[in-house]
Amino acid sequence: MAGTRYRPNLHVVGSPMAWIGPNGYADRILGAGLRPSPFQMRLQPSDPRERMHGAALIWPSRPSIAPTAPPRTAGYSTLTKELEGTGQQAHHLNQNAVYRDIIPENEGLSVGLRGNAFTEVGSPHYNAHRSLEGFWNQFRRGGARFGQTPTNAEYGAALEASLRAGGLSPADAATVAAQAAQQRAAYGLAPTAPVPRIPGRINQTPPPPP
């Protein structure tokens, strides 16, 4: 093979033979044309059958990456205290203006979102509420479904979409929305039942014109 020389005394761990190129590292393993970088191999004393000048080539292990935990959720009053001074605000998952007659405000499950929901245009908290406003507008006067009331399940789907709009990953949004659904169920709110009330507009600061 041009440009290489065969050294039968070199063995890559787990391999009967390897080709060594002019730079002294493996050109081919088992004749398969694989070319590991010299920076991906390290030398370590090993069995005499796997030695090259007193060392053996082994593949470094790939570092494990721990999965990230979903965002913390807690009751509104608890989370509000925890978030003081962080720039985040506690965001009711089961919107207080909708569920306050059934789920007490301070116990309403919440997640932390950065920014002011009313005035900080483009912040995660603002964007989450803006998304929900789009959902509610269809049930308000002039909307396509005016006179109808959405179900708790429909609200749950709108909540999940609003959390994605607020910057949560699709997986985290689904996890957090499922927790909100569990709280609704704990208070006797069936998925197919209508939401307790349709909230009024929150009159957010409008975004600047494009």
Side-chain angles (χ1 to χ4, degrees), residues 71 73 91-93 110-113 124 127-129 131-132 155-180:
T73 57
H91 173 69
H92 274 106
L93 296 171
S110 302
V111 69
L113 293 178
N127 289 342
H129 273 283
S131 175
L132 279 175
Y155 171 80
L159 169 65
E160 185 174 337
S162 75
L163 292 170
R164 293 196 301 269
L168 272 65
S169 70
D172 284 347
T175 297
V176 172
Q179 293 176 17

Side-chain angles (χ1 to χ4, degrees), residues 13 33 50 75 103 109 111 116 131 139 150-151 159 164 184 186 190 202 204:
V13 174
E50 297 172 340
I103 303 176
L109 195 66
V111 69
N116 185 287
S131 175
F139 301 100
T151 64
L159 169 65
R164 293 196 301 269
R184 293 195 299 273
I202 64 173
Q204 291 179 298

Side-chain angles (χ1 to χ4, degrees), residues 180-205:
Q182 290 173 358
Q183 185 179 54
R184 293 195 299 273
Y187 279 89
L189 295 159
T192 56
V195 298
R197 58 191 297 168
I198 296 173
R201 289 181 172 84
I202 64 173
N203 297 318
Q204 291 179 298
T205 299

Side-chain angles (χ1 to χ4, degrees), residues 3 29 45 60 88 90 96 121 166 171 179 181 187:
I29 298 174
Q88 290 190 320
N96 187 55
V121 177
Q179 293 176 17
Y187 279 89

Side-chain angles (χ1 to χ4, degrees), residues 20 31 36 65 84 102 106 108 115 136 139 197 204 209:
I20 302 301
I65 301 175
E84 286 180 358
I102 298 174
N106 286 335
W136 291 120
F139 301 100
R197 58 191 297 168
Q204 291 179 298

Side-chain angles (χ1 to χ4, degrees), residues 18-32:
W19 292 96
I20 302 301
N23 293 323
Y25 58 88
D27 263 345
R28 295 183 181 272
I29 298 174
L30 295 175

Side-chain angles (χ1 to χ4, degrees), residues 6 35 45 60 74 94 143 164 207:
Y6 174 58
R35 185 185 295 273
N94 293 313
R164 293 196 301 269

